């Protein structure tokens, strides 16, 4: 009910071909070289995927992460705050491509929490580098740079079968 998958250390882990539904937070990653691919993440109350920085002093920011071919359905139903399909925190690096977002709200966000907070303390905000391209937004999701809006027909959304022929999102 809380967090489904968390990888907060290590190098080069692969999180693939999972079905995650009705949880708090879907997948969280920190550390280097992780791949999140071909997952179906349905009805997370918070963020479906989080690319993390500054978890603990011993944990490295997520870097060189690849997030591709995931299907994210109806994310962020926690009434306390606005969540995203994919949350990318400051100081991280990642590639986000070929994902399918279906639902309401913001499919992904690059968080820039440092500008006011860190500059007021004389520190430079951490730089985030990400390539976000060739993603698909369906339903009432917000269309951002790196994504196109299109209608997608699912095999049977009523039965939670989100197979589709769009070429985006999880397969299998």
């Amino acid at each position: 009910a809380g967090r489904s998958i968390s990888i907060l250390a290590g190098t080069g882990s692969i999180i693939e071909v999972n079905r995650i539904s009705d949880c708090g937070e879907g997948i969280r990653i920190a550390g280097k070289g992780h791949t999140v691919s071909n997952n179906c993440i349905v009805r997370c109350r918070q963020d479906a995927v989080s690319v993390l920085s500054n978890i603990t002093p011993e944990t490295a920011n997520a870097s060189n992460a690849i997030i591709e071919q995931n299907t994210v359905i109806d994310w962020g139903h926690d009434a306390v705050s606005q969540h995203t399909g994919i949350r990318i925190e400051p100081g991280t690096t990642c590639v986000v491509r070929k994902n399918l977002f279906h639902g309401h709200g913001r499919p992904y966000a690059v968080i820039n929490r440092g500008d006011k907070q860190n500059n007021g303390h004389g520190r430079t905000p951490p730089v985030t580098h990400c390539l976000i391209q060739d993603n698909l937004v369906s339903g009432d999701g917000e269309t951002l740079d790196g994504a196109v809006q299109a209608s997608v027909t699912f095999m049977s959304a009523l039965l939670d079968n989100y197979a589709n022929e769009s070429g985006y999102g999880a397969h299998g």
Side-chain angles (χ1 to χ4, degrees):
R3 295 183 177 112
S4 292
I5 298 174
S6 292
I7 296 184
L8 303 180
T11 302
S13 296
I14 299 173
I15 303 168
E16 67 178 350
V17 192
N18 295 285
R19 181 174 180 86
I20 300 168
S21 63
D22 302 302
C23 64
E25 194 171 15
I27 299 171
R28 302 179 336 140
I29 57 171
K32 298 179 181 177
H34 303 303
T35 299
V36 177
S37 68
N38 205 30
N39 299 287
C40 187
I41 307 166
V42 181
R43 293 182 301 273
C44 286
R45 290 182 306 279
Q46 299 174 14
D47 303 312
V49 177
S50 296
V51 181
L52 301 172
S53 63
N54 300 326
I55 296 299
T56 68
E58 299 82 28
T59 304
N61 291 351
S63 63
N64 299 325
I66 298 172
I67 303 165
E68 64 182 355
Q69 293 290 157
N70 298 287
T71 298
V72 180
I73 305 290
D74 294 332
W75 63 91
H77 290 290
D78 180 347
V80 176
S81 60
Q82 175 122 9
H83 296 284
T84 60
I86 299 174
R87 175 187 173 90
I88 302 166
E89 291 191 352
T92 61
T93 61
C94 64
V95 173
V96 177
R97 61 181 292 278
K98 300 297 277 184
N99 298 287
L100 168 60
F101 302 93
H102 179 80
H104 306 284
R106 182 164 261 205
Y108 47 84
V110 179
I111 308 302
N112 293 315
R113 77 170 107 126
D115 293 337
K116 289 182 183 177
Q117 179 184 7
N118 288 339
N119 286 344
H121 294 88
R123 295 187 303 255
T124 302
V127 178
T128 304
H129 295 282
C130 54
L131 174 64
I132 301 173
Q133 69 178 24
D134 197 22
N135 295 283
L136 181 66
V137 176
S138 174
D140 295 328
E142 184 178 339
T143 303
L144 305 169
D145 287 342
V148 296
Q149 179 84 31
S151 179
V152 174
T153 302
F154 297 111
M155 186 70 80
S156 178
L158 291 174
L159 297 175
D160 276 353
N161 183 347
Y162 297 102
N164 66 85
E165 295 186 14
S166 70
Y168 292 83
H171 301 286

